[in-house]
Amino acid sequence: MSVVSEQQTPPSAEPRKGLSPRKRQRISRGIQYAVLVVILVVLIALADWKSISQSFFNLDVAREGLPELFTVALKNTVIYTVSGYAAGFVGGLLLALMRQSSVAPYRWLSAIYIEIFRGLPALVIFLMIGSLPLAFPGFHVPGDVYGQAALGLGLVSAAYMAETFRAGLQAVPKGQMEAARSLGMPYMRAMVSIIIPQAIRIVIPPLTNELVLLFKDSSLVLFLGVTAAQVELAKFGNDQASTFASPTPILVSGLTYLLITIPLGYVARRLEARQGAHR
Amino acid sequence: MSTVEVKNLHKSFGSLEVLRGVDFTVESGQVVCIIGPSGSGKSTLLRCVNLLEQPTSGTVIVDGVDLTDPDVDIDAARRRIGMVFQQFNLFPHLTVRRNVTIAQERVLKRPKEECDRIARENLEKVGLLAKIDAYPPQLSGGQQQRVAIARALAMNPSLMLFDEPTSALDPELVGDVLSVMRQLAEDGMTMLVVTHEMGFAREVADRVVFMDGGVIVEDGPPEQVIADPQHERTREFLKRVLHPGV
């Protein structure tokens, strides 16, 4: 041990300048609480509570939406989402495989597609779909609005899912392909039987998140011009809101979205955590 | 007849020349062990024999078929060449049964019952019939490697390649895999084995090939190459492998 000189003062014994760190922290926290309380008090004081309960939580108006809220609007939202998701899934997988193709133009096409459709707002794509017959005269998307919705949502989600699938395909160890090829499997057979099933397992959590995003994006279908029978949650809420001159139906629609998105998001996080634990 | 005939084989990765002119043959029914320091090119050589690596130049002839001929059906050729990897590479999403039947079914187009029968025979041979419905991650490394051997054998290969099959195993699991390989050698399988197991090479191999720096330095029966090496490099390597820490 070296000899400690008499003049050297241990750090804790340094003379304090102003407040101690602990005290400062306590004051800072106190200020944050105070700001929160002030904001709440102002909001509560300014809000017109009578009007809020009458407009947003008008149970009579909310009841008017039943049962169509579920039998028509939610049902259509689910149909649009699921069909768009299926289209995006197939398209995304195809794009991801093209991204790895040995034919260079396929790689470029896929890269360009992904860049464009991830860069565009989904709304723009939906507005364009109505103009498709101008580019291809006589062309009609089969299935009317349902087909157009599947196409629009599929085009958007394919770009996102392609990137997800690509990550999944890259996460499968190289040895898997080598083992499959050494057993005499052609490349495509090895992809379909060995690599893709493992890649999909890896990307199930992000794919579930994509389903949540698409469920919300399905509200854009209203820009395709839908009939009363084709209406989905957002438009249903909006239409009812103008009929009854009350924002309650919009709130009800919003809650119905949450009914699906919150549990689905929870499932996605659980899957993610489970996969994390396995690795 | 030679099962494997490698002539003037070169392989480069970019500017790195890994194989610099390798010639050797494996006769039918022979067991040849390739030994050598890491980076000597022995795994690359093995991977060139079933064209997992494309040789830069030279020829690889297996069962009379020149695999380096661009017109050759490489998938058909690989069916006759079984390969066992250091990291096992079992398909983790499939059961042991499916691991052993999938290529028989999809590649050889054998009827389902036959695939199953052959899977059972080969799993029996490696002592793992009881694990037929398990998934690979539920098995120990040694068990996975034995399933991998059964998977390769189910294709009725005329040649088996082993790429450091015991290097990834815990020491107490090495014996089971080696005894399966020993049995296979006794049954007359043609085998090309990259290994660090000198005991196995000495007892089982008909020939031992010592590689260093991308060329074959010494090639001969084990009693010569291992017990009485002629080259200084071989002696140096064996001294380090057989008496580590001295």
Side-chain angles (χ1 to χ4, degrees):
Chain A
M1 287 303 289
S2 63
V3 181
V4 179
S5 78
E6 292 290 309
Q7 284 96 327
Q8 207 173 18
T9 33
S12 59
E14 258 177 52
R16 287 188 182 137
K17 290 175 195 148
L19 297 164
S20 75
R22 200 184 300 172
K23 209 163 201 174
R24 233 179 292 158
Q25 207 175 44
R26 205 181 299 153
I27 290 172
S28 149
R29 207 176 299 143
I31 292 172
Q32 291 180 51
Y33 274 114
V35 169
L36 193 65
V37 168
V38 168
I39 289 173
L40 280 177
V41 166
V42 168
L43 279 179
I44 289 168
L46 288 180
D48 181 345
W49 289 102
K50 212 169 152 198
S51 167
I52 285 178
S53 73
Q54 270 178 3
S55 310
F56 289 91
F57 299 98
N58 191 329
L59 289 181
D60 293 332
V61 171
R63 228 170 273 131
E64 287 292 330
L66 294 173
E68 286 81 7
L69 174 74
F70 294 111
T71 58
V72 178
L74 179 60
K75 191 189 87 183
N76 279 330
T77 297
V78 169
I79 290 175
Y80 294 140
T81 308
V82 170
S83 57
Y85 192 77
F89 191 96
V90 174
L93 191 54
L94 201 67
L95 285 165
L97 291 174
M98 281 168 68
R99 203 83 173 75
Q100 301 194 334
S101 170
S102 54
V103 182
Y106 280 140
R107 290 200 300 272
W108 302 333
L109 275 176
S110 164
I112 292 168
Y113 179 96
I114 291 168
E115 285 304 315
I116 290 179
F117 280 86
R118 282 203 311 172
L120 285 177
L123 174 56
V124 171
I125 292 159
F126 273 86
L127 294 174
M128 295 279 274
I129 281 180
S131 318
L132 268 182
L134 293 178
F136 303 99
F139 174 77
H140 280 284
V141 181
D144 195 26
V145 167
Y146 290 101
Q148 290 181 341
L151 178 66
L153 293 171
L155 286 174
V156 180
S157 59
Y160 288 97
M161 285 203 244
E163 287 295 273
T164 305
F165 279 127
R166 187 157 77 109
L169 289 172
Q170 281 171 351
V172 178
K174 278 208 161 46
Q176 292 291 309
M177 178 55 95
E178 290 184 347
R181 298 306 301 274
S182 78
L183 288 165
M185 287 191 199
Y187 177 82
M188 259 305 153
R189 163 53 58 198
M191 266 296 181
V192 170
S193 295
I194 306 300
I195 308 299
I196 292 176
Q198 293 186 59
I200 288 179
R201 251 159 252 236
I202 293 170
V203 297
I204 282 175
L207 285 184
T208 310
N209 277 323
E210 180 61 27
L211 185 59
V212 174
L213 292 178
L214 212 60
F215 190 76
K216 295 186 288 175
D217 277 349
S218 69
S219 60
L220 295 167
V221 169
L222 85 92
F223 289 97
L224 295 173
V226 295
T227 66
Q230 298 162 335
V231 82
E232 46 62 63
L233 276 173
K235 182 162 166 58
F236 181 79
N238 193 37
D239 289 353
Q240 292 253 309
S242 25
T243 307
F244 298 101
S246 158
T248 298
I250 295 178
L251 191 84
V252 171
S253 280
L255 289 174
T256 314
Y257 276 110
L258 294 180
L259 212 62
I260 304 286
T261 52
I262 290 178
L264 217 57
Y266 176 75
V267 167
R269 279 195 302 281
R270 280 294 296 271
L271 289 171
E272 231 160 74
R274 222 181 61 181
Q275 212 169 58
H278 274 289
R279 290 183 162 223
Chain B
M1 186 194 122
S2 313
T3 300
V4 182
E5 217 178 324
V6 171
K7 285 186 222 155
N8 197 23
L9 190 69
H10 288 259
K11 173 67 186 176
S12 302
F13 295 101
S15 61
L16 182 70
E17 204 178 0
V18 179
L19 297 178
R20 317 157 172 260
V22 174
D23 294 86
F24 84 106
T25 57
V26 182
E27 302 301 319
S28 178
Q30 261 192 345
V31 176
V32 175
C33 284
I34 307 177
I35 60 172
S38 61
S40 59
K42 52 194 194 304
S43 279
T44 307
L45 172 61
L46 194 77
R47 291 161 60 84
C48 280
V49 173
N50 69 350
L51 242 66
L52 277 185
E53 300 294 352
Q54 181 75 40
T56 309
S57 69
T59 49
V60 177
I61 297 168
V62 177
D63 272 340
V65 179
D66 180 0
L67 301 188
T68 47
D69 177 354
D71 292 330
V72 89
D73 179 355
I74 189 64
D75 295 322
R78 282 190 184 128
R79 281 172 221 161
R80 309 280 300 146
I81 309 172
M83 179 142 186
V84 175
F85 300 85
Q86 184 177 352
Q87 298 296 339
F88 331 134
N89 294 348
L90 289 182
F91 307 133
H93 62 302
L94 303 176
T95 59
V96 165
R97 181 198 307 269
R98 198 74 190 118
N99 263 278
V100 185
T101 56
I102 190 164
Q104 297 186 61
E105 211 178 296
R106 295 285 158 83
V107 177
L108 300 180
K109 313 282 179 203
R110 282 180 185 151
K112 252 195 163 75
E113 300 73 44
E114 199 188 339
C115 295
D116 206 63
R117 184 177 55 75
I118 292 173
R120 292 173 154 277
E121 275 174 23
N122 284 295
L123 286 170
E124 176 97 74
K125 203 180 285 182
V126 301
L128 286 172
L129 187 54
K131 300 287 185 186
I132 191 163
D133 290 316
Y135 282 88
Q138 299 168 323
L139 304 180
S140 74
Q143 290 173 331
Q144 289 192 48
Q145 194 59 299
R146 281 144 65 199
V147 172
I149 293 172
R151 176 175 71 176
L153 290 177
M155 303 295 283
N156 297 106
S158 59
L159 166 69
M160 284 284 285
L161 308 176
F162 293 84
D163 188 2
E164 303 198 22
T166 58
S167 296
L169 297 178
D170 290 337
E172 77 270 23
L173 303 176
V174 169
D176 288 341
V177 172
L178 289 183
S179 67
V180 166
M181 290 170 63
R182 192 172 287 131
Q183 185 59 49
L184 206 55
E186 278 169 27
D187 293 347
M189 175 63 74
T190 313
M191 293 162 65
L192 187 53
V193 186
V194 170
T195 187
H196 292 294
E197 298 290 337
M198 290 305 143
F200 177 83
R202 192 157 31 199
E203 287 168 40
V204 181
D206 296 298
R207 266 170 49 220
V208 172
V209 171
F210 173 72
M211 282 187 76
D212 193 14
V215 293
I216 291 177
V217 176
E218 200 151 346
D219 181 348
E223 50 274 18
Q224 181 198 314
V225 177
I226 296 180
D228 182 23
Q230 304 300 306
H231 289 77
E232 183 53 35
R233 277 195 280 177
T234 319
R235 253 175 263 152
E236 272 296 312
F237 172 73
L238 287 168
K239 203 161 70 187
R240 268 181 285 131
V241 178
L242 297 174
H243 313 286
V246 176

